[in-house]
Amino acid sequence: MPGENFYTENKDLKFLMDEIIDWKAIVDLKEKIGDEECPYDDAEEAKATYLGMLEDPVGDIAAKRFAPRAEEVDTIGCQYKDGEVIFPEGLKRNLQDLMDAQLMGMTIPREYGGLQFPETVYTAAIEVVSQADASLMNFFGLQGGIAETIMEFASDELKQQYLPRMSTGEFTGAMALTEPDAGSDLAAVSAKADIEAEIDPETGMWHINGTKRFITNGCGDVILVLARSEDASRKSGGRGLSFFLVEKGDTVKVRRIENKLGIHGSPTCELYFDNSPAYLIGRRGMGLARYTAWLMLAARLAIGAQAQGIAEAALQESLKYAEEREQFGKPIRQFPQVAAMLANMRVYTEASRALLYATSEIVDLHQGAERRELKEETKAYGKLAEALTPIAKYYSTEIANKICYDAIQIHGGNGFMKDYPVERLYRDVRITNIYEGTSQIQVNWGISRLVRGDLNEYIAGLAEKVTRNPELKAEVDKAAAVLQECLAFLKEKDVGYRELIAPHAVDIFIDVAVGYLFLAQAEKWEYKVEVARKFIHDMAPRVEMNRQYTLDALLVELNP
Amino acid sequence: MSNILVYAEIEDGVVHDVSLQCLAKGREIADASSGKVDCLAVGSGIRAAAEGLGAFGAEAVFVAEDAKLEQYLTSPFKKVVSDFLKTNSYDLILFPATTVGDDLAPAVAEALGVACVLHCDGLAGDALTRLEFDRKVSTTYKAEGCTIASLKDGIAVAGAPDSSRSAQVSDVAVELDAASTKSKVLRRDVAKKTVNLKDAKIIVAGGAGVGTKENFSLIEELADALGAQIGATRAVVDAGWLPADHQIGQTGVTVRPAVYIACGISGAVQHRVGMLDSGKIIAINTDKNAPIFKIAHYKIEGDLKEVLPKLVKLIKA
Amino acid sequence: MSYNCIVIVREVWDTRDLTGSVLADNGSIKDSMLTRFEPEDMNALEMALRIKDEHGGKVTAFSVGTPKQVDVLRECLYRGVDEVVRVDAGASSLGTQAAAQLLADAIGKAGQYDLICVGVTVADGESSMLGTHVAGKLGIEQVSYVDAIEEIGEGRVVGKRGIEMGYEYIEAPLPALLSVGVALVEDDPRTPRSAKAMLKLKAKKAEIPSADVDASAVTSPVSIAGREAVPERAVESKDVAAEDETALKSMLDDVLKGE
Ligand SMILES: Cc1cc2nc3c(=O)[nH]c(=O)nc-3n(C[C@H](O)[C@H](O)[C@H](O)COP(=O)(O)OP(=O)(O)OC[C@H]3O[C@@H](n4cnc5c(N)ncnc54)[C@H](O)[C@@H]3O)c2cc1C
Ligand SMILES: Cc1cc2nc3c(=O)[nH]c(=O)nc-3n(C[C@H](O)[C@H](O)[C@H](O)COP(=O)(O)OP(=O)(O)OC[C@H]3O[C@@H](n4cnc5c(N)ncnc54)[C@H](O)[C@@H]3O)c2cc1C
């Protein structure tokens, strides 16, 4: 019966988890099998545990509890009164359910009360939760990145102080980077840390002053803050920024919450830090380059998964509606254009999912190698993770927007009404390609890595894994050649030109990568041969178009 | 030879229809095997109704009447029924599959140490059948020795009373000890039903297609003309056109009238499960593809605002 | 005051979304049929766990079956049950009354308890109300069709019992058995709780102890004599033209004949 479990009913996600992810590689790096503390006897058992958890509790509560409350949470939304943020009843219950199910510390190490699950499991969990209620993801899905940042870079005392309570969900987190005048350009951050006052020698505490804007869950308990700690005359821009942990308290004021288009169940706060005591995390001056970058990488994967979940919800709603709704004496899904829209929605939902989980797998391997202190692997996987994450975030969020657009189209006039969930999905999805870096910022990152050749070996590796369906593979190989042609061309171009055509060149890369990923999937599931055939069939003209845009871009400024 | 006892559930001085169905079914089996059918009624203020059971085919009626038995509770009722059965032997004891019957039947079976099969849809000889697996499988149970069973609504048609028949009525002594009076009913919140859809022979049901609360007068007129009860879909109840006790379906009541007239009802599965077993289904709908037509015996494609007055006119003529 | 609660849980056939036939050619239930945690038992489990959440105490789950059939017990551990006990039924399926006997034997040996909760269900392949039989064998009071516990304390429990036209509130002395219905939760979709992730991690390999009872010593007075597929219901339907009064009239005559 549909609507009972959002994990087991999601055949594609389940297939990726069952058949595609190389759990052994991940488990070998991330767990110490044989160690007394390790709860698994082998990788198989670890896998069974991970996937069992996605089914119950994750898939179960998402379908049975979060989804039925989503409409109410959206309609009532978060409210603001006298400096306090008031959650809608449904959201309070959702948070309680997440705590009861002991899911708030999915990736936090067991020694701090967490589950110590790989990013890939967490990504899947975020997708499943977002399918039910995208706004809830901003509690569930950002917790991981924030906790992991503390885990990686904070002192042991801070870890002891905060991680166990983040694992239980008693504490939720926020990341305060954006300011009124520092959005995409975080190097412009101006919140000040202790520039005048001295560091308290007793406690080692810093103090932060300034305003942060658009802070998701800014009313949360553990706030990671990017602030200027260095004298601007000596260290300007990004090099003057450090990373801090501030605990909720009287000095952290929520000045207002935003009245938004979507994700009404997630409060977006304006914060004012009034000499707020703060712990320095890691080293001074490394706030942006190292820690923010690290945090953003984790959060971007999470936002990709959020978009993925919304896309899945929109697809399911559309399939259902197109079956039920009849016009001209038959269900509308039988009309060629509606059928084509539905097929495309499915293909591209699966395409973005393929890239998203291929990326999460790399992120896991990178983290594992880093924890094992394997120098070579850490470097290699790190390079891949940094290049793939922004591209995957860009693709998932843009695709999800398209899918929600089509979902409304399939619903016709009904889709425009609040009576159907697609209306909410359409509003919620719109933030995904803006926050944690807009799509423009993501492809800027992506193109710089592509031109540097960071993903060349990766693509070759994907191609090598394909052993069947030679005609289809030949098509993807052709596109791969086009990609190399474009990258060679771009090597000679300046940054301005590269950023201008970034979406087009990145799209070619995505077509190539997804083409190979689909073909690899097709060797494990017959159904995927058709998916690959459709995707590869449609990508040829797209690749050609993007090639022409890339090689011959025309930028004009029009002033009539 | 089968000697059968039927448990007569009596509420507000009326024998429950399913108990009458049990009696009709018991009569049929007893007649075929030259056995007998008796009834046992337990409660307070039940005598008149119990005496009437003779007209429905009971040979002997036993009445266990006591003010302490005013409201149903497992232990005292179990005590009375099992005490009775310790001195009176039957091959088969039939209970209606109601919240009372299904509670009492296994409790009595336990007290006597005999077999128990609940929710039977069929009874033939010693074979008790139940529809299982979402009505896809009929499972036959066999029991050894004296058997207690509960029978579901629809097992038989409650016969019409035959005033030429009467039963020998005798009283059963009620002895309640401390052990059987440990629990108590603190209170009952029973909705004063404005309709009794379950026992209705004819139901005229309206859906969202009726259009407005005022238009329900069309439904009322047809119901009046037919002596029928009025049912509704959830859409109608949600809209506030009728109170909730009119709702038929998954979250309303399940009905099995002889005739069900669905007016402006699309036939969503949640509604269908509540009326699927109606004897004859007439559906009136402007949409020829409405799912309700898939289960209707008579399909009238048309506007209910025109069809209903026509039907009223034809009935009155 | 804390309470020791017992829940009885069952793994039953999953009859949601049944398509095609349930029976194999030889009349037995198809191997491909899936099973699931009996949903009303899940409600009973939730009821017991809520008592523990509110008042403290202990919850012990019992289930009858082979080691494979009692996955439900592990599910109970994942949800916060303190102890589980498997009651071995031997090779064949027992029937409700024999299962009740084994359960009563096992519960009798397990020590003091205040409350037993079990789903009210009479499932496919089961013929009677398990809870009522267990209560009868243990000689304790029972209330069936309980949708919620109104109150527990001072040696008694008040159950809200769903009946045909509404509810009644029944007070029973402890220890008592409650057969639990479906409508645990009305206002909010708080279905019975899901697994708790940390518990699941910890209990995934927990040993499931067996009760010391003898399945060969019990017999069932009821047995399954056979199963038959029931054909899909087919309706013979007639179109009646809305404007054709003669046709409408003859339709009315047809359906109202018996009335
Ligand atoms: C609901 C919501 C929640 C948020 N939560 C958080 C949070 O928890 N923590 C936090 O720190 N921030 C948060 N943000 C802020 C968010 O990350 C920023 O809004 C986002 O990074 C974009 O910054 P901006 O709004 O200032 O847009 P701008 O940077 O002003 O961008 C405007 C436009 O210019 C484009 N642009 C800018 N620079 C470039 C460039 N170099 N190349 C090409 N195009 C460019 C952008 O793509 C965009 O189209 C949140 C925002 C919203 C709306
Ligand atoms: C968990 C759950 C439980 C539910 N439980 C129940 C339940 O117990 N009972 C229940 O009924 N529903 C229940 N529902 C709701 C059910 O899904 C349907 O929404 C509902 O039954 C639809 O009611 P309807 O047929 O009146 O309305 P609609 O589906 O809107 O149908 C109206 C029909 O009227 C027809 N029509 C319109 N104008 C005219 C006219 N002038 N003349 C003739 N025909 C006309 C239309 O063609 C249409 O077929 C439940 C739903 C859920 C999710």
Side-chain angles (χ1 to χ4, degrees):
Chain A
M1 185 146 70
E4 291 256 314
N5 190 304
F6 282 173
Y7 173 66
T8 52
E9 289 162 17
N10 187 337
K11 278 195 205 157
D12 186 46
L13 176 60
K14 199 165 175 308
F15 162 71
L16 295 188
M17 296 297 121
D18 283 337
E19 306 279 343
I20 297 298
I21 301 294
D22 184 355
W23 293 108
K24 183 151 188 344
I26 295 175
V27 174
D28 282 351
L29 283 172
K30 288 199 134 176
E31 288 289 350
K32 293 203 174 95
I33 300 281
D35 206 272
E36 208 189 312
E37 186 276 334
C38 177
Y40 315 111
D41 289 341
D42 50 38
E44 269 308 303
E45 190 192 338
K47 171 182 173 181
T49 307
Y50 301 155
L51 306 198
M53 221 64 96
L54 287 174
E55 177 171 351
D56 181 21
V58 180
D60 188 73
I61 43 175
K64 294 201 186 127
R65 298 196 176 196
F66 303 156
R69 293 177 189 142
E71 187 184 336
E72 181 216 308
V73 169
D74 176 63
T75 310
I76 297 172
C78 295
Q79 312 283 334
Y80 178 81
K81 206 170 159 231
D82 306 329
E84 295 289 329
V85 179
I86 304 153
F87 289 174
E89 210 49 44
L91 172 56
K92 287 188 203 156
R93 291 196 164 125
N94 286 341
L95 292 172
Q96 188 59 47
D97 283 338
L98 280 169
M99 286 170 76
D100 287 348
Q102 303 174 320
L103 285 173
M104 286 303 277
M106 271 196 108
T107 54
I108 298 175
R110 288 186 291 272
E111 59 169 317
Y112 297 110
L115 289 165
Q116 196 171 323
F117 280 180
E119 292 298 321
T120 301
V121 182
Y122 188 40
T123 305
I126 293 173
E127 176 181 342
V128 168
V129 168
S130 304
Q131 184 184 338
D133 180 348
S135 69
L136 184 58
M137 174 280 173
N138 287 342
F139 294 89
F140 174 65
L142 295 185
Q143 187 88 340
I146 293 163
E148 283 157 40
T149 307
I150 296 175
M151 184 57 216
E152 291 295 321
F153 307 114
S155 65
D156 282 346
E157 292 84 54
L158 287 185
K159 286 187 213 172
Q160 283 299 352
Q161 197 169 333
Y162 292 104
L163 292 179
R165 284 189 281 181
M166 291 188 80
S167 292
T168 60
E170 184 193 338
F171 277 3
T172 58
M175 41 193 277
L177 315 173
T178 307
E179 295 178 4
D181 295 319
S184 298
D185 179 15
L186 287 174
V189 156
S190 68
K192 290 196 173 65
D194 257 352
I195 200 100
E196 280 108 40
E198 281 299 300
I199 304 168
D200 185 335
E202 292 270 303
T203 56
M205 283 288 218
W206 291 64
H207 290 88
I208 292 185
N209 287 285
T211 301
K212 293 280 174 184
R213 190 171 69 141
F214 292 168
I215 306 308
T216 297
N217 196 32
C219 50
D221 311 87
V222 182
I223 310 170
L224 297 184
V225 188
L226 183 66
R228 191 158 296 283
S229 59
E230 310 305 312
D231 188 340
S233 61
R234 277 183 287 138
K235 281 189 170 173
S236 63
R239 293 183 312 138
L241 299 176
S242 299
F243 217 46
F244 298 91
L245 187 157
V246 174
E247 193 176 325
K248 176 186 186 151
D250 293 343
T251 61
V252 183
K253 302 200 164 72
V254 178
R255 283 218 288 231
R256 50 178 261 127
I257 66 170
E258 306 296 334
N259 188 0
K260 312 191 290 288
L261 176 67
I263 53 163
H264 293 162
S266 163
T268 308
C269 307
E270 182 170 306
L271 292 184
Y272 177 68
F273 294 95
D274 184 6
N275 219 29
S276 309
Y279 299 101
L280 176 71
I281 290 194
R283 300 215 315 271
R284 288 170 66 163
M286 300 290 278
L288 184 60
R290 182 134 172 74
Y291 314 123
T292 303
W294 205 94
L295 174 58
M296 296 267 272
L297 219 51
R300 280 172 182 165
L301 198 58
I303 304 299
Q306 180 181 38
Q308 191 66 49
I310 302 174
E312 180 66 29
L315 170 63
Q316 293 309 329
E317 290 298 332
S318 303
L319 289 168
K320 194 168 75 189
Y321 189 81
E323 174 71 41
E324 284 167 5
R325 173 71 176 172
E326 295 191 0
Q327 284 295 287
F328 301 97
K330 54 185 179 183
I332 58 169
R333 68 169 167 73
Q334 291 178 10
F335 299 109
Q337 292 187 51
V338 177
M341 253 191 282
L342 287 169
N344 273 329
M345 287 166 82
R346 202 186 271 288
V347 168
Y348 291 97
T349 307
E350 294 186 8
S352 73
R353 189 176 283 124
L355 189 62
L356 182 69
Y357 290 94
T359 304
S360 75
E361 202 173 359
I362 298 286
V363 170
D364 269 323
L365 296 175
H366 173 231
Q367 288 181 359
E370 201 166 27
R371 277 172 212 164
R372 283 281 160 103
E373 296 175 12
L374 304 171
K375 279 233 168 65
E376 289 287 298
E377 283 90 339
T378 305
K379 220 175 129 203
Y381 287 130
K383 195 169 79 174
L384 289 182
E386 275 182 28
L388 283 172
T389 306
I391 294 177
K393 193 250 172 190
Y394 155 72
Y395 193 52
S396 293
T397 60
E398 291 293 337
I399 289 290
N401 267 279
K402 275 209 197 71
I403 284 170
C404 291
Y405 181 94
D406 285 350
I408 291 211
Q409 198 63 21
I410 284 176
H411 281 68
N414 277 335
F416 197 63
M417 305 300 152
K418 297 224 178 257
D419 307 312
Y420 286 81
V422 286
E423 184 267 352
R424 168 172 47 85
L425 299 174
Y426 186 77
R427 289 183 286 107
D428 283 353
V429 78
R430 196 61 189 82
I431 187 60
T432 60
N433 53 346
I434 295 175
Y435 61 8
E436 289 315 326
T438 61
S439 284
Q440 289 68 34
I441 298 298
Q442 308 299 328
V443 293
N444 281 353
W445 273 64
I447 196 66
S448 69
R449 307 300 151 120
L450 273 170
V451 172
R452 213 162 70 184
D454 285 4
L455 289 169
N456 285 348
E457 268 177 52
Y458 180 69
I459 293 175
L462 291 183
E464 264 171 38
K465 287 213 187 105
V466 180
T467 63
R468 284 191 239 153
N469 299 300
E471 324 80 61
L472 292 175
K473 178 165 185 284
E475 290 299 315
V476 186
D477 290 341
K478 267 192 234 162
V482 170
L483 176 65
Q484 290 310 329
E485 176 195 356
C486 290
L487 295 181
F489 169 81
L490 290 172
K491 269 209 166 68
E492 312 302 321
K493 292 287 179 183
D494 63 10
V495 172
Y497 189 89
R498 286 181 196 166
E499 291 192 351
L500 173 62
I501 57 74
H504 301 291
V506 168
D507 279 354
I508 303 178
F509 164 77
I510 291 169
D511 276 338
V512 172
V514 172
Y516 287 136
L517 288 168
F518 270 160
L519 285 172
Q521 292 179 10
E523 296 182 19
K524 300 238 164 86
W525 187 11
E526 205 44 41
Y527 151 78
K528 287 281 185 174
V529 178
E530 279 315 296
V531 176
R533 188 187 310 286
K534 169 75 180 153
F535 183 84
I536 292 167
H537 175 269
D538 291 356
M539 86 187 219
R542 192 166 54 218
V543 167
E544 178 50 27
M545 176 190 77
N546 284 322
R547 172 180 166 274
Q548 292 190 26
Y549 274 125
T550 304
L551 299 182
D552 184 18
L554 178 63
L555 177 63
V556 290
E557 218 174 287
L558 303 173
N559 297 307
Chain B
M1 190 182 86
S2 282
N3 291 331
I4 298 172
L5 181 73
V6 170
Y7 178 82
E9 183 180 339
I10 297 173
E11 169 107 25
D12 294 336
V14 182
V15 182
H16 198 290
D17 186 61
V18 186
S19 277
L20 292 180
Q21 294 179 27
C22 290
L23 183 48
K25 189 74 194 174
R27 191 68 266 161
E28 181 191 314
I29 295 171
D31 287 347
S33 63
S34 36
K36 63 166 184 172
V37 186
D38 297 342
C39 279
L40 171 64
V42 183
S44 166
I46 53 169
R47 199 175 176 91
E51 281 171 356
L53 288 163
F56 287 94
E59 283 155 58
V61 174
F62 299 92
V63 183
E65 185 147 28
D66 192 304
K68 287 198 221 76
L69 299 168
E70 162 107 48
Q71 282 171 319
Y72 174 78
L73 255 182
T74 315
S75 289
F77 275 61
K78 172 177 81 173
K79 174 87 168 44
V80 172
V81 176
S82 53
D83 281 353
F84 172 79
L85 286 168
K86 277 174 195 155
T87 48
N88 298 273
S89 124
Y90 291 91
D91 305 306
L92 186 60
I93 301 135
L94 301 177
F95 288 77
T98 57
T99 54
V100 168
D102 282 343
D103 188 76
L104 188 53
V108 171
E110 238 0 275
L112 298 174
V114 302
C116 183
V117 180
L118 299 181
H119 297 178
C120 298
D121 301 277
L123 178 57
D126 62 347
L128 301 145
T129 54
R130 294 178 3 122
L131 287 177
E132 298 184 340
F133 296 92
D134 206 12
R135 308 178 135 256
K136 281 178 169 277
V137 174
S138 163
T139 306
T140 302
Y141 291 85
K142 287 259 163 79
E144 280 161 34
C146 168
T147 304
I148 289 181
S150 78
L151 306 184
K152 275 197 161 165
D153 194 355
I155 187 84
V157 177
D162 175 353
S163 56
S164 68
R165 299 174 75 153
S166 69
Q168 190 195 340
V169 180
S170 33
D171 283 316
V172 176
V174 174
E175 283 165 36
L176 298 175
D177 52 8
S180 58
T181 51
K182 286 191 207 157
S183 298
K184 52 182 182 240
V185 180
L186 296 184
R187 70 172 201 277
R188 291 181 112 193
D189 290 345
V190 180
K192 278 279 159 278
K193 285 239 170 182
T194 51
V195 280
N196 183 0
L197 291 171
K198 269 199 165 307
D199 293 340
K201 294 274 178 286
I202 307 178
I203 293 177
V204 182
V210 174
T212 62
K213 190 170 179 167
E214 291 65 46
N215 280 355
F216 256 88
S217 60
L218 296 170
I219 305 273
E220 276 162 28
E221 280 160 30
L222 179 61
D224 284 349
L226 289 167
Q229 298 285 356
I230 296 178
T233 65
R234 177 150 133 187
V236 165
V237 171
D238 284 350
W241 298 345
L242 279 179
D245 54 356
H246 287 268
Q247 183 178 319
I248 292 167
Q250 187 183 315
T251 44
V253 290
T254 300
V255 297
R256 281 186 199 80
V259 182
Y260 190 92
I261 307 181
C263 312
I265 292 177
S266 61
V269 59
Q270 293 91 349
H271 184 75
R272 286 204 312 262
V273 293
M275 44 69 73
L276 196 66
D277 285 336
S278 302
K280 291 283 182 224
I281 298 169
I282 299 175
I284 306 169
N285 201 301
T286 42
D287 175 5
K288 73 171 191 313
N289 294 315
I292 190 80
F293 281 144
K294 296 201 181 92
I295 57 161
H297 301 87
Y298 296 91
K299 309 194 275 188
I300 307 177
E301 190 190 334
D303 188 336
L304 62 90
K305 292 194 277 300
E306 286 152 27
V307 179
L308 292 181
K310 236 179 245 166
L311 292 178
V312 173
K313 195 186 80 188
L314 288 167
I315 292 161
K316 288 191 173 157
Chain C
M1 159 98 206
S2 64
Y3 299 93
N4 284 343
C5 294
I6 286 173
V7 277
I8 300 170
V9 293
R10 287 162 282 185
E11 186 143 351
V12 294
W13 299 111
D14 188 348
T15 55
R16 292 168 298 177
D17 280 344
L18 281 184
T19 49
S21 102
V22 171
L23 301 179
D25 289 341
N26 66 4
S28 65
I29 292 162
K30 271 189 181 164
D31 288 341
S32 56
M33 280 289 291
L34 301 175
T35 58
R36 68 156 166 168
F37 200 127
E38 161 57 45
E40 288 171 5
D41 288 348
M42 191 73 107
N43 290 343
L45 172 62
E46 179 66 24
M47 198 174 265
L49 288 170
R50 283 193 196 178
I51 290 177
K52 182 181 152 190
D53 290 347
E54 265 176 51
H55 303 277
K58 195 176 106 178
V59 179
T60 310
F62 285 76
S63 188
V64 178
T66 62
K68 263 201 144 156
Q69 283 166 342
V70 295
D71 269 355
V72 283
L73 288 177
R74 216 172 275 289
E75 296 286 328
C76 289
L77 287 173
Y78 298 163
R79 283 163 176 76
V81 153
D82 301 277
E83 278 176 37
V84 295
V85 181
R86 180 175 75 85
V87 179
D88 200 302
S92 62
S93 75
L94 285 172
T96 315
Q97 284 164 279
Q101 184 61 56
L102 284 179
L103 279 164
D105 292 350
I107 290 170
K109 287 183 183 176
Q112 183 271 340
Y113 59 88
D114 301 297
L115 193 68
I116 303 178
C117 300
V118 57
V120 75
T121 231
V122 181
D124 303 316
E126 243 186 38
S127 68
S128 190
M129 207 119 91
L130 184 66
T132 311
H133 289 287
V134 172
K137 291 183 198 295
L138 290 170
I140 59 173
E141 289 290 285
Q142 68 102 31
V143 187
S144 61
Y145 297 99
V146 175
D147 281 356
I149 289 181
E150 283 292 298
E151 237 185 291
I152 184 165
E154 289 159 33
R156 61 199 243 296
V157 61
V158 179
K160 180 179 179 188
R161 179 172 196 262
I163 54 176
E164 275 82 2
M165 303 275 241
Y167 289 98
E168 60 186 14
Y169 297 83
I170 302 207
E171 178 186 298
L174 299 177
L177 182 143
L178 306 182
S179 291
V180 178
V182 273
L184 258 178
V185 221
E186 287 143 21
D187 52 335
D188 178 63
R190 284 190 73 91
T191 51
R193 69 193 64 190
S194 51
K196 289 174 180 283
M198 293 303 296
L199 281 183
K200 197 167 175 179
L201 195 60
K202 288 202 187 97
K204 66 190 154 70
K205 282 191 283 195
E207 208 170 312
I208 306 249
S210 300
D212 177 24
V213 291
D214 182 4
S216 63
V218 295
T219 52
S220 171
V222 177
S223 57
I224 291 179
R227 289 193 165 100
E228 236 176 273
V230 178
E232 288 283 332
R233 119 190 214 125
V235 208
E236 238 183 84
S237 70
K238 277 190 213 137
D239 280 306
V240 182
E243 41 308 311
D244 184 347
E245 296 207 356
T246 339
L248 289 173
K249 177 86 183 112
S250 82
M251 171 191 83
L252 285 171
D253 291 344
D254 271 0
V255 299
L256 299 175
K257 261 199 312 259
E259 300 310 313

